[in-house]
Amino acid sequence: MSIRYISQKLAQQIDEELMSTAGAFSLDQLMELAGLSCAQALAKSYPVQSHKRVMVACGPGNQGGDGLVAARHLHHFSYQPTIYLPKPGSKDIYKRLLKQCENLDIKVISDVDGFKTGLRESDVILDAIFGFSFEPPLRAPFDQVLKAITATSLPIVSVDIPSGWSVTKGSQPLYTKPDDGGEPEKIETFTPDVLVSLTAPKEGVREFKGRHWLGGRFVPDALAKEFELNIPPYEGVDQVVELPQA
Amino acid sequence: MSIRYISQKLAQQIDEELMSTAGAFSLDQLMELAGLSCAQALAKSYPVQSHKRVMVACGPGNQGGDGLVAARHLHHFSYQPTIYLPKPGSKDIYKRLLKQCENLDIKVISDVDGFKTGLRESDVILDAIFGFSFEPPLRAPFDQVLKAITATSLPIVSVDIPSGWSVTKGSQPLYTKPDDGGEPEKIETFTPDVLVSLTAPKEGVREFKGRHWLGGRFVPDALAKEFELNIPPYEGVDQVVELPQA
């Protein structure tokens, strides 16, 4: 039985079940384990000896929270992460996760120019901008951010769904929605080298050809069975398992 | 520089700093990472192939919470944990952690006789009964529990401080305080085969001779420096590091 690629709706439903009274998980717990998975997948793909400087690009939602957790663990794994966080999420948890990173003296950048400069001093990008809730069009400053990532030759590790891709259809024509009401611009999406799917891969990455990790070793067996996720066995104490390449 | 063995007071102070507004950690996060450390240390000490059935003995406090998290991760690591939890903690977090285990169909025992029977069907014990806040005398049902653990020949993995030991002085004469006001009974303490110290080892385990792991790969460098913890470097993505034997 091969692994199931799940819809945006099912991904939302699984998260809701895990955090329901019945599922009993807190967002703090799930985000900690998800972010740890991302850090482990990056470390297994790009060793610290050759890829010490990691640009962790964080969006304003849960995906960005995973990025903040990953940045902290990468620091403890001896990497030198830099966080790009243009729009900090408003929930208390994001503020705490950011503070935890600041307490480790991890550099935090909020402007696009700083991000572009930072990319020139990085060895690998962790893309935690948009998650499975993303809906186009693309708004500032993320149009500039996606362009900058596409323009670099750095290896890219994307979390859950490459930022800018359709959760359902994958890489699709993507347009901006300028704040000044001007003409939409077509943006070229990037294809990451490595993907870390959380809980289960999403429909949009079915054709993804790079190295593909699955993280989130917390899905209860009953839930995996109910939704026929067909999660492959993890090894040892790993928080990620590599999926066969498409 | 060798690792520092910390006092009960300093252990409390470090926990408080981590969870203060400045430290910004939630109990959910720290307990998740601490429990994951315990599960990893057990897995690295007693492989699932030979020690599949784990009796996880949980106390009513934070130590018991670590045990509940460890039991869940052990399940995901393909172990078959059984939880002994005679006095569930009253905080909401313990209820949630217990529910998460119940959702995995992990067996939960609450009576001492069930615990004794369970030990006969176990390959290894994870002792998460008392942590660094423990103060004698020993009250029911934990007098019976400690006696039962001492009487078995199973390998024992203790979390932070072997249950019944003085956090400051180690293995000491230990007396019960019977609920009926009867004569105190002297209890023989056990010495575990493996110890998992969290954040930093406690003064009472300075003479411990078995395998000794350190867990809690979340201590900020500044805090470790402030308290001169001299934490040895962790390897790769491990959540535990083995300390040299005393």
Side-chain angles (χ1 to χ4, degrees):
Chain A
M1 294 288 277
S2 56
I3 197 162
R4 180 170 178 189
Y5 289 76
I6 64 172
S7 66
Q8 186 181 43
K9 192 178 157 190
L10 184 52
Q12 282 158 348
Q13 191 180 345
I14 289 173
D15 266 16
E16 281 163 18
E17 286 211 13
L18 288 169
M19 288 189 279
S20 68
T21 310
F25 278 99
S26 68
L27 181 59
D28 275 63
Q29 281 184 289
L30 295 184
M31 206 166 264
E32 192 62 38
L33 295 174
L36 179 59
S37 296
C38 297
Q40 283 199 357
L42 187 140
K44 284 169 185 279
S45 307
Y46 297 103
V48 66
Q49 292 78 6
S50 54
H51 293 76
K52 194 176 175 69
R53 301 169 304 172
V54 186
M55 176 60 77
V56 183
C58 297
N62 281 350
Q63 184 89 346
D66 295 342
L68 293 173
V69 173
R72 169 162 45 82
H73 285 292
L74 285 169
H75 169 92
H76 288 300
F77 296 168
S78 302
Y79 286 83
Q80 189 183 306
T82 297
I83 292 167
Y84 171 60
L85 181 68
K87 293 193 170 184
S90 57
K91 281 192 214 168
D92 178 60
I93 186 171
Y94 302 127
K95 291 177 189 161
R96 287 189 285 106
L97 294 175
L98 180 60
K99 177 75 177 146
Q100 290 162 22
C101 289
E102 289 169 345
N103 286 347
L104 300 175
D105 292 328
I106 295 174
K107 188 175 174 186
V108 181
I109 294 169
S110 59
D111 65 295
V112 173
D113 288 338
F115 174 64
K116 288 178 185 171
T117 307
L119 283 181
R120 288 197 290 271
E121 294 160 358
S122 300
D123 302 309
V124 54
I125 301 170
L126 182 63
D127 158 31
I129 301 173
F130 298 131
F132 64 69
S133 303
F134 174 71
E135 297 285 355
L138 195 61
R139 292 173 182 274
F142 295 106
D143 50 348
Q144 296 302 316
V145 173
L146 261 59
K147 276 189 193 175
I149 294 178
T150 303
T152 115
S153 58
L154 293 176
I156 303 167
V157 178
S158 283
V159 178
D160 223 28
I161 185 90
S163 295
W165 287 28
S166 157
V167 184
T168 311
K169 296 177 187 164
S171 182
Q172 295 285 308
L174 180 67
Y175 293 87
T176 63
K177 180 160 186 176
D179 289 337
D180 62 5
E183 281 298 304
E185 182 189 354
K186 186 173 175 181
I187 299 282
E188 191 192 341
T189 55
F190 60 82
T191 296
D193 303 271
V194 175
L195 183 65
V196 194
S197 289
L198 296 171
T199 314
K202 311 304 169 294
E203 285 174 347
V205 302
R206 200 184 284 273
E207 305 298 324
F208 176 71
K209 303 275 188 250
R211 251 186 125 171
H212 191 171
W213 301 91
L214 180 70
R217 195 175 183 179
F218 49 68
V219 178
D221 320 308
L223 195 149
K225 198 173 172 189
E226 178 187 354
F227 295 118
E228 298 175 328
L229 299 183
N230 302 322
I231 295 172
Y234 286 77
E235 280 186 23
V237 300
D238 286 351
Q239 294 297 305
V240 288
V241 57
E242 190 159 10
L243 300 178
Q245 291 190 302
Chain B
M1 294 288 278
S2 55
I3 196 163
R4 179 169 178 190
Y5 289 76
I6 64 173
S7 66
Q8 186 181 43
K9 192 179 157 190
L10 184 51
Q12 282 159 346
Q13 191 181 343
I14 289 173
D15 266 17
E16 281 164 17
E17 286 210 14
L18 288 169
M19 288 188 279
S20 68
T21 310
F25 278 98
S26 68
L27 181 60
D28 274 62
Q29 281 184 289
L30 294 184
M31 206 165 264
E32 192 62 38
L33 294 175
L36 179 58
S37 296
C38 297
Q40 284 200 356
L42 188 140
K44 284 171 185 276
S45 307
Y46 297 103
V48 66
Q49 293 78 6
S50 54
H51 292 77
K52 192 176 175 71
R53 302 168 304 171
V54 186
M55 175 60 78
V56 183
C58 297
N62 281 351
Q63 183 89 349
D66 296 340
L68 293 173
V69 173
R72 169 163 44 82
H73 285 292
L74 285 168
H75 169 92
H76 288 300
F77 295 169
S78 301
Y79 286 83
Q80 188 183 308
T82 297
I83 291 166
Y84 171 60
L85 179 69
K87 293 194 170 184
S90 57
K91 281 193 216 166
D92 178 61
I93 186 171
Y94 303 127
K95 291 176 189 160
R96 287 189 285 106
L97 293 175
L98 180 60
K99 178 73 177 148
Q100 290 162 23
C101 288
E102 289 169 345
N103 285 348
L104 300 175
D105 291 328
I106 295 174
K107 187 175 173 185
V108 181
I109 294 168
S110 59
D111 66 296
V112 173
D113 288 340
F115 174 63
K116 289 177 185 171
T117 307
L119 283 180
R120 289 196 290 274
E121 294 161 358
S122 299
D123 302 311
V124 55
I125 301 170
L126 181 63
D127 158 31
I129 301 173
F130 299 131
F132 64 69
S133 304
F134 174 70
E135 298 285 353
L138 194 61
R139 292 171 182 275
F142 295 107
D143 50 347
Q144 297 302 315
V145 172
L146 261 60
K147 276 187 194 177
I149 294 178
T150 302
T152 121
S153 57
L154 293 175
I156 303 166
V157 178
S158 284
V159 178
D160 222 29
I161 186 90
S163 293
W165 287 29
S166 157
V167 184
T168 310
K169 296 177 186 164
S171 182
Q172 293 286 309
L174 180 67
Y175 294 87
T176 62
K177 179 159 187 178
D179 289 335
D180 62 4
E183 281 298 303
E185 182 189 352
K186 186 172 174 181
I187 299 281
E188 191 192 341
T189 55
F190 60 82
T191 296
D193 302 270
V194 174
L195 183 65
V196 194
S197 290
L198 296 171
T199 313
K202 310 305 171 293
E203 286 174 344
V205 302
R206 200 184 285 274
E207 304 298 322
F208 176 71
K209 303 276 188 248
R211 254 187 122 168
H212 192 170
W213 300 91
L214 180 70
R217 197 175 182 177
F218 48 68
V219 178
D221 320 308
L223 196 150
K225 198 173 172 189
E226 178 187 354
F227 295 119
E228 298 174 330
L229 300 183
N230 302 322
I231 296 172
Y234 286 78
E235 281 186 21
V237 300
D238 286 352
Q239 294 297 305
V240 287
V241 57
E242 190 160 10
L243 300 178
Q245 291 190 302

